[in-house]
Amino acid sequence: MSERKVLNKYYPPDFDPAKIPKLKLPKDRQYVVRLMAPFNMRCKTCGEYIYKGKKFNARKETVMNELYMGLPIFRFYIKCTRCLAEITFKTDPENTDYAMEHGATRNFQAEKLLEEEEKKITKDREEEELNNPMKVLENRTRDSKMEMEVLENLQELKELNQRQASVDFEGMLGTYKELEQRTKEQEKEEDERETREMLERALVKRLRDSDSDSDQESASSSRPKKPSTDRPTDILTTDRLTDPQGLSVGGMMKAKVESWERSVGGLGGGGVLGTLVVRKKPTTSVPKPGTTVTPAGANTQTVSKAAATVPTEATKPITAQNGSSSLSLLGAYSDSDDSNNSE
């Protein structure tokens, strides 16, 4: 199988390239190319505007017998987009531009025509001065005279303006300074007014705050103060005052409370724990028939023994904080022993 893309071709031994017939093509042959309009133009037939950059399928040919420094000049044929009239233009290598031939007129060409005219005048003058020295002198004299006239006209215009214009520069500067000073004074007054308003607002706010603080202090002073207790158990040893309706008014602490009384309170009195301990009253016992009454000496001995058996810590007197009569722990023990003996 032969390769699809072959770069080398086979040439037989008897190959003679001179025997190949040449293709005869005309020198003014035209090619179809894709191009864009090089400038804005307007069709002469229908007046349609063709803007620069519009694309055309144009025919291109080489202009015969026209060269610029050995460079060929090409001509392009396009058709109007509206009336299909033929428009032609060619290259202009001398000015690096395109030249319009027929079928349309180039827009925005006045400036270009003016420049071309100036260039043409300058070129003709240089050619004249090149071969005629008297022409050079005439041109220089004319130029100097024209320059003198221009300067005189300019001086006349300046004098005329000075006569007509009566501007007082000192007055203008004074007016400007007055305006600037007035503006500064207005700004200063506005700043002072704003500062005064801020101080008034701050004073009003301070007065309101002081009024509210005084109201709060008066309200807090009218309220009853709650009793302050050192410990949670101190409430057990305080006397609470009650009003006639039975409402609690507050507690009053005694002058000095022992540490062991703070936890359990007094055993006698009408305090909080006064109702929990009931003092046993001594009763007179009647001897039953058949029982023997012990002598008083024996009772005194048993009482003394019982008193001796009581530890020293229990012999401390216990005082009630409710203002009632004091009760000693020793007396309680003695009463209990009497009742037991009587039984």
Side-chain angles (χ1 to χ4, degrees):
M1 184 176 180
S2 62
E3 295 182 5
R4 185 171 61 86
K5 292 182 179 180
V6 180
L7 301 178
N8 298 326
K9 295 182 180 180
Y10 173 73
Y11 293 96
D14 55 349
F15 175 74
D16 187 6
K19 295 180 180 180
I20 299 175
K22 293 183 180 181
L23 183 62
K24 295 181 180 180
L25 296 175
K27 293 183 179 181
D28 57 348
R29 180 186 176 188
Q30 294 182 351
Y31 301 91
V32 178
V33 295
R34 182 79 170 173
L35 57 79
M36 291 187 293
F39 45 77
N40 298 325
M41 63 185 79
R42 184 181 182 186
C43 180
K44 290 182 179 180
T45 305
C46 62
E48 178 71 11
Y49 286 96
I50 299 173
Y51 297 97
K52 180 180 178 179
K54 189 170 181 60
K55 294 182 179 180
F56 293 94
N57 292 324
R59 291 180 289 115
K60 170 190 170 184
E61 69 177 7
T62 304
V63 180
M64 301 302 294
N65 302 324
E66 286 191 25
L67 293 174
Y68 175 76
M69 300 179 65
L71 298 175
I73 297 175
F74 300 102
R75 183 182 288 114
F76 300 94
Y77 298 87
I78 62 174
K79 290 184 179 181
C80 177
T81 57
R82 183 177 180 184
C83 63
L84 300 179
E86 192 174 60
I87 301 172
T88 62
F89 56 89
K90 62 181 180 180
T91 59
D92 186 7
E94 182 179 0
N95 300 317
T96 62
D97 198 1
Y98 290 85
M100 193 74 208
E101 282 193 328
H102 74 278
T105 56
R106 183 171 180 174
N107 297 336
F108 309 109
Q109 201 175 4
E111 185 177 357
K112 184 179 179 181
L113 294 175
L114 182 61
E115 292 177 357
E116 291 178 355
E117 190 68 21
E118 290 178 355
K119 288 180 180 179
K120 185 178 179 181
I121 293 172
T122 305
K123 186 178 180 181
D124 295 342
R125 181 177 177 178
E126 289 176 355
E127 290 178 355
E128 290 178 357
E129 292 178 354
L130 184 61
N131 300 322
N132 192 355
M134 293 300 294
K135 193 71 175 178
V136 176
L137 183 60
E138 290 177 0
N139 292 336
R140 288 179 181 177
T141 305
R142 186 171 58 251
D143 292 342
S144 61
K145 185 178 180 181
M146 187 179 296
E147 186 176 358
M148 293 290 290
E149 290 178 356
V150 170
L151 291 175
E152 289 177 0
N153 294 333
L154 182 60
Q155 188 66 25
E156 289 178 1
L157 290 174
K158 287 182 178 180
E159 292 177 357
L160 182 62
N161 291 334
Q162 288 179 359
R163 288 196 216 105
Q164 294 179 354
S166 58
V167 179
D168 187 9
F169 295 100
E170 297 295 335
M172 291 175 62
L173 293 175
T175 305
Y176 176 74
K177 289 181 180 179
E178 290 179 359
L179 180 61
E180 186 177 2
Q181 186 176 1
R182 195 180 305 112
T183 305
K184 289 182 179 179
E185 290 178 357
Q186 290 179 358
E187 292 179 355
K188 187 176 181 180
E189 290 177 359
E190 290 180 359
D191 294 341
E192 292 178 355
R193 181 174 53 80
E194 291 179 357
T195 306
R196 197 181 307 110
E197 291 178 356
M198 292 174 64
L199 292 175
E200 291 177 357
R201 287 197 296 268
L203 181 60
V204 171
K205 185 177 180 182
R206 190 178 299 172
L207 292 175
R208 290 178 180 175
D209 294 342
S210 61
D211 294 341
S212 61
D213 294 340
S214 61
D215 294 341
Q216 291 178 359
E217 291 178 359
S218 61
S220 61
S221 61
S222 62
R223 294 177 183 174
K225 295 184 180 180
K226 294 183 179 180
S228 59
T229 56
D230 296 336
R231 294 183 183 180
T233 57
D234 291 347
I235 193 172
L236 300 176
T237 61
T238 58
D239 292 338
R240 302 182 65 84
L241 302 177
T242 56
D243 55 359
Q245 285 81 10
L247 300 177
S248 175
V249 176
M252 297 176 63
M253 296 293 296
K254 294 297 181 180
K256 185 177 180 181
V257 180
E258 299 294 338
S259 61
W260 58 273
E261 290 180 352
R262 290 183 180 180
S263 59
V264 297
L267 296 177
V272 179
L273 295 180
T275 57
L276 298 179
V277 179
V278 179
R279 181 167 44 178
K280 196 170 184 180
K281 298 179 180 181
T283 56
T284 57
S285 60
V286 178
K288 294 181 180 180
T291 59
T292 59
V293 179
T294 58
N299 291 335
T300 56
Q301 291 178 0
T302 56
V303 171
S304 62
K305 289 180 182 180
T309 57
V310 176
T312 58
E313 294 180 359
T315 58
K316 293 180 181 181
I318 301 174
T319 60
Q321 302 298 324
N322 53 4
S324 60
S325 61
S326 64
L327 179 62
S328 64
L329 185 60
L330 181 59
Y333 276 107
S334 62
D335 293 340
S336 62
D337 290 338
D338 294 339
S339 61
N340 289 333
N341 293 331
S342 64
E343 291 176 359

